[in-house]
Amino acid sequence: MKYATITGLGYYVPDNVITNEDLTQYMETSDEWIQERTGIQQRRYFTYGKDTNASMAAAASRMALERANVTAKEVDLIVYATITPDYFFPGSGFLMQRELGMDGIGVIDIRDQCSGFVYALSIADQFIRTGTYKTILVVGSEIQSTWIDKSNQGRSVAVIFGDGAGAAVVQATSDPAHRILSTHLHADGRFAEDLYVKDPGSSRPNRSATKEMVDEGGFNVVMNGNAVFKHAVVRFTEVIQEALKANELSPEDISLLVPHQANIRISDYVRQQLKLPEEKVINNIQRYGNTTAASIPIALNEAWEQGRVRPGDLVCLAAFGSGFTWASALIRW
Ligand code: UT7
């Protein structure tokens, strides 16, 4: 019987730190408002000419491969999640493949927004358990800073997001004691426009990208923050419970919950619903903001580096985001 296990983790965050105070240059906001509503103190922005979505992912992947003691040539497949690719197409996974010299292997380019990493991990888990592949690189990478509207109009979105990348090497094992136990994926497209970027869109009268679209704000992130918040707190809890039930486990069995870093108030609410003590939930949104598909692997990396993920631990990953999408993964480390 084949199982999938995570054998290496890596991440990269750009060195350009943007504090809440820095944002007050562009919009009417305050450190107090941002911290009180989201918990965020700072985030990272990429540096033009130095970082790209693919280069950040490559840096994260190199670290993950090294820690897994796996060479680039041993990787059978890349599953790459991002909503902010370097090109409209092809996806950044292909650019990262080129940079890492992994020519010839398949690249699955997925979006799935804030749930992207868990969706990607689920795909890797399936391919390994069917025996198709032995070593898969799972990546989440985002450059949000060039998409957000930093004027007053976009401030409720702009203050939340940051840039970064995370990666995991997922490998086949026959050891049932250390493996991905299950993954659970959900979506509800009825809420697609509650968090979306409309343009560039293909179903437009003439061209898919025009100056009018830019002027009308079609390229900006539109978010119904209240709706996202209300659905998130319900779906996060639900999908974690679903994973536990599928494995005949309960919340007290969780060693560490790694939630997508959407808002510290969302994570706190979920933690309270599950009656988990503070030390069992990872929060690093204070330093990185919401990095969409990169947030879970970055948080998991930091937890692992801090010795908070040990062999035998029950680690739960959970996400909610645009789509709406929500997902969980339960891992016996
Ligand atoms: O991965 C999923 C990604 N998205 C999320 O997780 C978002 C979930 N939602 C949220 O986190 C919250 O809804 C926000 C943090 C986005 C907003 O917090 P809120 O408590 O829902 O605030 P609000 O949008 O209801 O706005 C309250 C007030 C408004 O002013 P008035 O109308 O009461 O005078 C806003 O104009 O706060 C104002 N406001 C700001 N003030 C200072 C909105 N953004 C800002 C800002 N700085 N950045």
Side-chain angles (χ1 to χ4, degrees):
M1 185 73 181
K2 285 194 178 61
Y3 303 107
T5 186
I6 295 177
T7 54
L9 292 166
Y11 72 115
Y12 174 88
V13 287
D15 48 24
N16 184 18
V17 176
I18 305 292
T19 64
N20 292 344
E21 197 58 39
D22 293 334
L23 292 179
T24 63
Q25 293 169 32
Y26 311 106
M27 64 190 86
E28 285 166 32
T29 191
S30 66
D31 179 48
E32 192 191 359
W33 192 96
I34 301 170
Q35 286 212 48
E36 195 181 302
R37 304 283 173 130
T38 69
I40 299 165
Q41 296 167 9
Q42 59 186 50
R43 72 286 295 138
R44 306 292 181 103
Y45 282 0
F46 90 120
T47 300
Y48 179 70
K50 178 182 178 211
D51 302 310
T52 65
N53 184 306
S55 77
M56 298 196 311
S61 295
R62 280 191 195 97
M63 185 189 282
L65 289 166
E66 199 180 314
R67 286 172 170 176
N69 203 17
V70 164
T71 65
K73 296 284 176 216
E74 288 173 89
V75 175
D76 301 315
L77 180 77
I78 296 165
V79 191
Y80 194 109
T82 187
I83 55 167
T84 54
D86 297 299
Y87 301 146
F88 189 66
F89 75 84
S92 295
F94 305 93
L95 309 181
M96 186 197 78
Q97 185 215 40
R98 181 173 66 191
E99 188 170 335
L100 294 178
M102 294 173 160
D103 330 14
I105 62 166
V107 176
I108 299 180
D109 183 25
I110 71 162
R111 306 210 291 185
D112 291 296
Q113 302 73 246
C114 299
S115 305
F117 186 80
V118 184
Y119 268 69
L121 189 67
S122 179
I123 292 168
D125 184 39
Q126 312 311 314
F127 270 117
I128 285 178
R129 284 197 290 114
T130 56
T132 310
Y133 296 120
K134 286 194 176 66
T135 301
I136 301 181
L137 191 52
V138 178
V139 180
S141 182
E142 304 286 4
I143 293 180
Q144 308 277 4
S145 56
T146 45
W147 281 95
I148 50 185
D149 168 12
K150 299 187 193 80
S151 73
N152 272 348
Q153 208 189 336
R155 65 182 179 171
S156 67
V157 171
V159 299
I160 295 177
F161 292 103
D163 304 342
V169 175
V170 182
Q171 294 193 277
T173 177
S174 53
D175 181 0
H178 306 281
R179 64 180 173 105
I180 296 171
L181 297 175
S182 63
T183 58
H184 306 268
L185 311 180
H186 295 280
D188 192 342
R190 289 176 300 168
F191 301 98
E193 286 81 17
D194 277 313
L195 178 48
Y196 82 129
V197 177
K198 188 176 170 193
D199 293 315
S202 50
S203 52
R204 298 290 178 272
N206 296 307
R207 296 296 311 278
S208 56
T210 63
K211 185 176 175 306
E212 287 71 38
M213 289 174 182
V214 176
D215 294 343
E216 286 162 14
F219 285 78
N220 294 336
V221 179
V222 173
M223 180 172 76
N224 179 352
N226 288 320
V228 175
F229 196 102
K230 283 182 189 146
H231 282 82
V233 290
V234 174
R235 297 306 196 183
F236 260 113
T237 312
E238 246 176 46
V239 80
I240 295 166
Q241 296 278 22
E242 180 188 354
L244 290 167
K245 194 168 170 219
N247 294 283
E248 296 177 5
L249 294 163
S250 53
E252 55 267 29
D253 295 314
I254 294 177
S255 313
L256 191 72
L257 174 63
V258 185
H260 162 57
Q261 305 290 301
N263 182 320
I264 208 157
R265 289 189 297 142
I266 294 177
S267 297
D268 264 351
Y269 188 91
V270 173
R271 181 181 65 74
Q272 283 164 23
Q273 293 283 101
L274 296 168
K275 298 190 172 52
L276 294 175
E278 280 185 21
E279 65 272 16
K280 284 194 171 184
V281 182
I282 279 284
N283 289 307
N284 66 359
I285 194 170
Q286 299 90 333
R287 286 175 289 119
Y288 302 126
N290 177 344
T291 56
T292 312
S295 97
I296 288 180
I298 294 173
L300 185 57
N301 261 277
E302 290 201 337
W304 180 82
E305 284 177 354
Q306 291 159 11
R308 293 172 73 180
V309 182
R310 293 166 301 262
D313 279 358
L314 185 68
V315 178
C316 183
L317 314 182
F320 179 88
S322 158
F324 289 152
T325 53
W326 59 104
S328 63
L330 208 53
I331 304 164
R332 183 64 74 185
W333 206 264

